[in-house]
Amino acid sequence: MGNSALKAHLETAQKTGVFQLTGKGLSEFPEDLQKLASNLRTIDLSNNKIEILPPLMGQFSVLKSLALNNNKLTALPEELCKLKKLETLHLNGNHLTQLPATFGQLLALKTLSLSGNKLRTVPTQLCSLRHLDVVDLSRNQIQSVPDTVGDLQTIELNLNQNQISQISVQISHCPRLKVLRLEENCLDLSMLPQSILSDSQISLLAVEGNLFEIKKLRELEGYDKYMERFTATKKKFT
């Protein structure tokens, strides 16, 4: 892409606070964006070929939304975690195996999409984030859900299409968790904590495509309690 085209995008971004440059084959983060670090609220660089995010990412002090779906990122810089205003982070379809240690400092984060990466575990850093609404970890390589999940504050957790065969009973203790998606994993019915049904806030549990028939789920103790929550929630939205 020519410099003049980039310049035009930068001029627009200066006026709007939004920089969007998708599907242009970019192999690196446009360094010129640094000039707009103090007034960009939205950056969308999805569907490019970016492999590395530079440390200057930490300078976008008013950034609220960052989308880098379908790039070639294998890691994120620690500096990204300085974005105190960041509310939405979309990183679907990259090659990430883990998150930076300081990821829990993104205290304003509400929506996190990491679908289609190479994560092997639910990142414990997420437990520090108190304003999460949606966490999408679908289509990764997660095999088990650890005890630390009990501190997760999200309302919706999507773990569809992983390789999960074990879930900690602590997931029942998530204080705000209403929607739990576990479709197309490797779960035996015996490995699904019954407390999810009998003793949690979860009002939508999606478990199709595992190693048991859905009708067997209905025979479990606590299923009636779950259905009460499910129906009450459904009524709220109709």
Side-chain angles (χ1 to χ4, degrees):
M1 195 184 70
N3 273 348
S4 56
L6 180 59
K7 199 174 170 196
H9 277 281
L10 287 168
E11 282 172 11
T12 307
Q14 193 155 13
K15 293 174 193 148
T16 60
V18 177
F19 184 85
Q20 186 174 28
L21 201 57
T22 59
K24 297 291 184 200
L26 293 181
S27 57
E28 48 190 49
F29 187 89
E31 300 262 329
D32 285 347
L33 277 187
Q34 198 171 358
K35 298 169 190 164
L36 303 179
S38 58
N39 66 348
L40 277 186
R41 292 186 307 281
T42 300
I43 296 175
D44 186 354
L45 290 165
S46 297
N47 304 314
N48 282 295
K49 296 174 180 174
I50 298 169
E51 294 180 21
I52 292 171
L53 290 181
L56 65 85
M57 285 305 304
Q59 295 172 21
F60 292 88
S61 54
V62 294
L63 195 67
K64 280 192 162 184
S65 174
L66 176 60
L68 286 152
N69 297 325
N70 304 317
N71 276 281
K72 297 188 170 183
L73 298 172
T74 53
L76 300 173
E78 292 281 346
E79 287 82 1
L80 182 74
C81 307
K82 293 177 182 169
L83 303 178
K84 295 286 183 266
K85 299 272 175 79
L86 194 68
E87 294 180 5
T88 307
L89 181 56
H90 293 292
L91 295 163
N92 301 323
N94 280 283
H95 307 295
L96 299 170
T97 55
Q98 59 186 29
L99 298 179
T102 52
F103 196 83
Q105 291 175 11
L106 291 171
L107 295 176
L109 204 61
K110 292 179 180 175
T111 303
L112 174 62
S113 302
L114 287 161
S115 179
N117 277 280
K118 296 185 173 175
L119 298 173
R120 292 185 171 273
T121 169
V122 178
T124 52
Q125 298 94 311
L126 302 185
C127 296
S128 309
L129 303 173
R130 294 294 179 230
H131 301 289
L132 284 177
D133 292 330
V134 179
V135 174
D136 185 354
L137 300 174
S138 61
R139 299 190 302 115
N140 276 280
Q141 297 164 10
I142 299 168
Q143 295 180 2
S144 63
V145 179
D147 287 348
T148 47
V149 76
D151 294 322
L152 198 59
Q153 297 283 328
T154 189
I155 296 170
E156 176 171 340
L157 178 59
N158 186 343
L159 291 165
N160 290 347
Q161 294 178 291
N162 277 282
Q163 299 154 17
I164 296 168
S165 58
Q166 283 186 310
I167 300 179
S168 167
V169 69
Q170 296 297 326
I171 201 160
S172 318
H173 300 162
C174 292
R176 299 168 71 221
L177 189 61
K178 299 274 194 291
V179 178
L180 178 58
R181 302 186 187 281
L182 286 161
E183 293 178 337
E184 296 180 47
N185 277 285
C186 309
L187 279 169
D188 272 316
L189 192 57
S190 60
M191 286 297 168
L192 191 71
Q194 292 199 10
S195 53
I196 289 177
L197 299 173
S198 61
D199 193 23
S200 77
Q201 302 289 319
I202 296 165
S203 56
L204 177 64
L205 176 65
V207 286
E208 285 77 8
N210 279 282
L211 308 179
F212 58 87
E213 293 174 48
I214 290 298
K215 63 180 183 190
K216 293 274 193 248
L217 181 71
R218 298 181 193 130
E219 294 164 12
L220 288 185
E221 203 175 325
Y223 188 78
D224 295 350
K225 279 188 174 177
Y226 162 68
M227 280 312 292
E228 280 171 26
R229 296 193 303 273
F230 176 80
T231 311
T233 304
K234 225 172 169 183
K235 276 182 186 156
K236 227 187 268 181
F237 291 110
T238 49

